[in-house]
Amino acid sequence: MAVRSDIRNVAIVAHVDHGKTTLVNAMLQQSHVFNEREEVPDRVMDSGDIEREKGITILAKNTAVRYTGPLAAQLGEPDGITINVVDTPGHADFGGEVERGISMVDGVVLLVDASEGPLPQTRFVLRKALEAKLPVILCVNKTDRPDARISEVVSETTDLLLGLAQDVTEEGVDLDLDSLLDLPVIYCAAKAGYASVNQPEDGGLPDNHDLEPLFECILKNIPAPEYEEGAPLQAHVTNIDASDYLGRLGLVRIYNGTLEKGKQYGLSRVDGSIENFKLTEILRTEGLDRVPADSAGPGDIVAIAGVSDIMIGETIVDPNDPKPLPLIHVDPPAISMTFGTNDSPLAGTEGKDHKLTARMLKDRLDRELIGNVSIEVLPTERPDAWEVRGRGELALAVLAEEMRREGYELTVGRPQVVTKKVDGKIYEPMESTTIDCPEEYMGDVTQLMAARKGRMDSMTNHGSGWVRMEFTVPSRGLIGFRAQLLTKTRGTGISSSISAGYAPWAGDITLRQNGSMVCDRQGKASPYAMQRLQARGDFFVQPQSPVYEGQVVGVASKPGDMDVNITLEKHMTNMRSSTADVLETLTPPIVMSLEESLDFANDDECVEVTPESIRVRKIILDREAWYKWNAKQRRANKAAANN
């Protein structure tokens, strides 16, 4: 096999908030991608508004840095070596992006927080790397944290690596276990831009003041791309992008052969058919920019134009000798939501150019399928609603938020789990959940998880006043869990979870103790009515805001739904009273985000999402029709229980 010694392809993978994007930022700066006078924002790779607001990476993105240090000449490349870096998400809900990123690289840098150590997503990305037989570099980040425990974290990660390697080997993957024992370790403080092979003291910075050791470790341990000389073209489509001038772009990793601008090639479709096309443009990545090129060879990761409907997983081949590559495998979805048109009385009244129709909604969901390999869109009994399935509620909530910002009005149903039948029994998805919290809240968290059918697997106390608990819990038990965890732990609890396969149905779970305050007529919320109702619960609406029948205007202080007339006005009289002008104050309403609204909604409720507003409402707005439906559901449940 021939080798492209001037290229390295590497993905940076980690649990959420362990510093991947910050490390990529430092690599770009120290590679002189930016001008000296150019102001570089933090987390420059997080280009989306939602990514910056939430502080997490949602889409896998690639960049390229040019290494021209002393090791390049020693490896026979005095002009420098191009390192293609793929920045992947750290949240388990966006695992499809991780799988896609891993499919185009030859090795991974596993980033682990020097205090938190390996967490559920660390296990997920590490397992995917081992299944792909990719070499791993361990990078212990944030060594300057006051609560850093570097030696323990390295030991925990090594144990995790060897344990996963054994599991993967038993599943039939042939791994070189000896090479895993010699795991290269780099100690890093990405925010400062420091990296070293020497372990610093806990809470201290590395003894080297640049990232040169990290670059050298990548060049020495990540293999250069290999290819077969004379083999026909094989270029795998791993991502989709768009250009105002070129239309749809396909991001491809070339395994064999060469792409040349202006030539004819074949595109192997998902169904196995071959479609010929003319390659109109090749764009190489340099830093954060894409520059035109005339050709690209084995090992290159480039963007190409020429096919208007190119899809992820397809292969660009030689039309005379097509040899397509396997499709990208993605784990199946576990959570579903119903996306439908907005049929409330306020639909289309809040602004111009809102996208309201079922056709517009379906077209947008179809476009999402093109670039998002981890979701599915299925029809429902209603022609204006679709079941959207994904890895987790955050991934689907982000999709709804993106559509809202694009001008769509829609309704989104409460998250539901995707079940399956095994030997006639219903099985549901389970989650392996890790919770870190101060010791004094351990009892509250345990009680909270027990109510959600969670089973404790282990508990660790590092002696720093914090305790780590690991649970196995049904996926539906985690819907709305994070908000309650923050309440119970006074905002200090940290939770993370990842799929743990399927298990038999765990039984009913009561997720919400309080009922809803439901508006019984259309109008405007009256301060007079709200003053008299605020002892019954907490409101979601502002005074004088429009409301309609079936809208959930607040949370009741006791179980069961409560119909309220929130539009009642004070009757004017000519009677005087010494106490008539006593100032009455209203408790400020609860303002919920889209994710919090989805967590709050009951099974008979949904969330109305518009560019201006987010409202919780009943699926059946007419109160009389809802009572009939509710009585029918109770009779059906009673009959099922008796049988």
Side-chain angles (χ1 to χ4, degrees):
M1 299 286 284
V3 174
R4 280 285 302 272
S5 60
D6 62 332
I7 291 178
R8 298 291 189 277
N9 296 320
V10 62
I12 298 183
V13 296
H15 188 81
V16 65
D17 203 31
H18 279 196
K20 297 176 304 300
T21 307
T22 303
L23 181 61
V24 175
N25 231 48
M27 294 173 72
L28 290 168
Q29 286 181 314
Q30 295 191 21
S31 302
H32 306 295
V33 169
F34 308 108
N35 296 327
E36 293 182 2
R37 297 181 180 179
E38 188 174 356
E39 185 176 344
V40 183
D42 291 336
R43 298 183 293 108
V44 69
M45 294 291 287
D46 285 347
S47 53
D49 291 338
I50 299 179
E51 289 181 316
R52 290 195 170 278
E53 289 171 15
K54 293 184 177 294
I56 61 173
T57 301
I58 294 174
L59 300 174
K61 309 175 192 68
N62 71 298
T63 184
V65 298
R66 189 76 176 168
Y67 174 78
T68 56
L71 187 59
Q74 296 177 27
L75 295 175
E77 298 293 338
D79 295 332
I81 297 175
T82 298
I83 302 177
N84 290 312
V85 181
V86 180
D87 181 22
T88 61
H91 200 286
D93 285 11
F94 308 104
E97 296 290 320
V98 177
E99 291 165 335
R100 195 168 68 187
I102 286 178
S103 70
M104 63 172 114
V105 298
D106 302 304
V108 298
V109 174
L110 177 68
L111 214 62
V112 180
D113 189 291
S115 171
E116 296 179 5
L119 287 169
Q121 182 70 355
T122 313
R123 173 183 290 272
F124 172 79
V125 295
L126 196 52
R127 184 184 182 90
K128 291 297 179 184
L130 292 176
E131 288 174 349
K133 299 183 181 180
L134 298 178
V136 178
I137 297 172
L138 174 59
C139 182
V140 181
N141 190 28
K142 304 185 183 180
T143 61
D144 54 336
R145 280 187 61 157
D147 55 350
R149 45 186 192 93
I150 300 172
S151 297
E152 292 93 326
V153 166
V154 173
S155 178
E156 290 171 7
T157 309
T158 305
D159 291 344
L160 174 63
L161 177 68
L162 296 177
L164 289 175
Q166 183 177 357
D167 293 344
V168 171
T169 303
E170 290 174 356
E171 294 174 2
V173 180
D174 184 20
L175 290 178
D176 183 3
L177 296 178
D178 292 335
S179 65
L180 293 177
L181 293 172
D182 189 21
L183 178 69
V185 182
I186 296 291
Y187 305 95
C188 182
K191 202 165 187 179
Y194 296 173
S196 175
V197 295
N198 302 317
Q199 180 176 330
E201 295 182 358
D202 289 347
L205 288 168
D207 58 8
N208 183 69
H209 292 181
D210 58 26
L211 295 178
E212 182 69 21
L214 175 62
F215 287 122
E216 292 182 356
C217 191
I218 290 174
L219 297 182
K220 290 177 181 177
N221 294 281
I222 304 299
E226 295 183 345
Y227 65 98
E228 186 179 343
E229 289 188 0
L233 175 66
Q234 290 179 312
H236 212 188
V237 183
T238 57
N239 205 350
I240 299 296
D241 204 347
S243 165
D244 294 337
Y245 304 100
L246 300 172
R248 186 183 296 183
L249 302 175
L251 189 71
V252 302
R253 158 74 192 266
I254 304 173
Y255 288 90
N256 285 305
T258 303
L259 285 174
E260 296 184 25
K261 181 179 175 181
K263 285 197 171 184
Q264 294 282 339
Y265 295 101
L267 181 65
S268 176
R269 295 292 192 179
V270 175
D271 59 5
S273 62
I274 305 294
E275 177 184 323
N276 291 340
F277 72 98
K278 181 180 179 181
L279 185 61
T280 58
E281 190 64 85
I282 298 174
L283 300 172
R284 289 183 181 275
T285 303
E286 292 184 2
L288 301 177
D289 300 322
R290 288 188 175 135
V291 296
D294 294 327
S295 64
D300 281 328
I301 298 175
V302 295
I304 60 107
V307 187
S308 60
D309 56 349
I310 194 168
M311 297 281 286
I312 291 173
E314 297 175 339
T315 307
I316 299 173
V317 297
D318 184 341
N320 300 320
D321 188 9
K323 291 185 177 179
L325 295 165
L327 297 175
I328 298 173
H329 170 73
V330 175
D331 289 344
I335 297 291
S336 72
M337 294 183 189
T338 300
F339 283 49
T341 55
N342 182 17
D343 59 354
S344 85
L346 299 181
T349 63
E350 295 182 330
K352 296 182 179 179
D353 301 324
H354 286 190
K355 302 177 178 71
L356 302 166
T357 65
R359 179 185 59 80
M360 291 178 174
L361 187 61
K362 182 63 167 62
D363 289 346
R364 176 62 180 83
L365 292 175
D366 289 341
R367 288 203 307 275
E368 186 67 21
L369 285 173
I370 295 171
N372 192 338
V373 295
S374 59
I375 72 164
E376 298 175 359
V377 178
L378 305 175
T380 64
E381 296 176 354
R382 290 171 46 194
D384 61 345
W386 294 266
E387 181 185 356
V388 183
R389 295 181 174 183
R391 288 287 185 85
E393 59 176 313
L394 177 60
L396 298 180
V398 166
L399 171 59
E401 179 67 23
E402 288 176 345
M403 294 175 66
R404 180 175 85 90
R405 297 185 183 199
E406 292 169 11
Y408 288 87
E409 289 195 21
L410 65 152
T411 57
V412 184
R414 177 180 173 79
Q416 305 287 340
V417 294
V418 179
T419 59
K420 62 181 181 181
K421 279 196 173 183
V422 179
D423 298 330
K425 295 182 179 179
I426 297 178
Y427 277 59
E428 63 175 328
M430 306 294 286
E431 301 279 333
S432 177
T433 302
T434 300
I435 300 175
D436 291 306
C437 70
E439 292 174 341
E440 59 263 32
Y441 301 123
M442 186 178 67
D444 292 330
V445 172
T446 305
Q447 187 176 6
L448 192 61
M449 291 301 290
R452 294 167 177 262
K453 306 292 185 183
R455 184 188 71 246
M456 182 181 287
D457 298 324
S458 66
M459 182 174 64
T460 308
N461 192 327
H462 298 301
S464 59
W466 283 64
V467 63
R468 171 170 294 180
M469 295 171 283
E470 295 185 4
F471 296 86
T472 299
V473 60
S475 296
R476 60 194 169 98
L478 292 179
I479 295 173
F481 169 71
R482 286 186 178 87
Q484 289 195 15
L485 174 67
L486 292 174
T487 302
K488 291 285 187 182
T489 62
R490 306 296 189 270
T492 59
I494 301 171
S495 72
S496 53
S497 59
I498 196 164
S499 174
Y502 278 74
W505 186 263
D508 293 335
I509 299 176
T510 302
L511 298 178
R512 205 177 96 193
Q513 301 294 333
N514 300 65
S516 300
M517 298 175 68
V518 186
C519 184
D520 64 356
R521 67 199 68 196
Q522 189 168 353
K524 287 189 176 182
S526 158
Y528 174 76
M530 294 176 71
Q531 285 170 355
R532 276 143 185 77
L533 288 170
Q534 65 180 355
R536 304 288 187 93
D538 298 314
F539 290 106
F540 299 150
V541 297
Q542 297 277 2
Q544 298 301 325
S545 60
V547 294
Y548 54 84
E549 182 181 4
Q551 180 181 342
V552 177
V553 294
V555 54
S557 55
K558 59 183 181 179
D561 288 349
M562 179 192 306
D563 286 351
V564 298
N565 178 9
I566 201 175
T567 65
L568 181 67
E569 295 285 355
K570 183 178 180 180
H571 292 292
M572 302 298 293
T573 70
N574 60 356
M575 298 293 292
R576 291 189 177 187
S577 171
S578 60
T579 60
D581 296 326
V582 174
L583 180 64
E584 295 189 59
T585 58
L586 277 174
T587 304
I590 300 171
V591 179
M592 296 193 297
S593 66
L594 176 56
E595 293 166 51
E596 291 168 337
S597 299
L598 289 169
D599 289 343
F600 173 83
N602 268 329
D603 291 336
D604 63 337
E605 297 168 352
C606 62
V607 180
E608 178 187 354
V609 182
T610 75
E612 285 78 22
S613 306
I614 296 171
R615 305 181 185 92
V616 181
R617 46 159 281 190
K618 294 293 182 180
I619 296 175
I620 301 174
L621 294 178
D622 182 82
R623 298 308 294 151
E624 186 176 344
W626 180 87
Y627 278 114
K628 291 179 180 178
W629 172 86
N630 194 37
K632 186 177 179 182
Q633 291 294 111
R634 286 201 305 269
R635 289 194 298 268
N637 293 337
K638 186 176 180 180
N642 292 334
N643 294 332

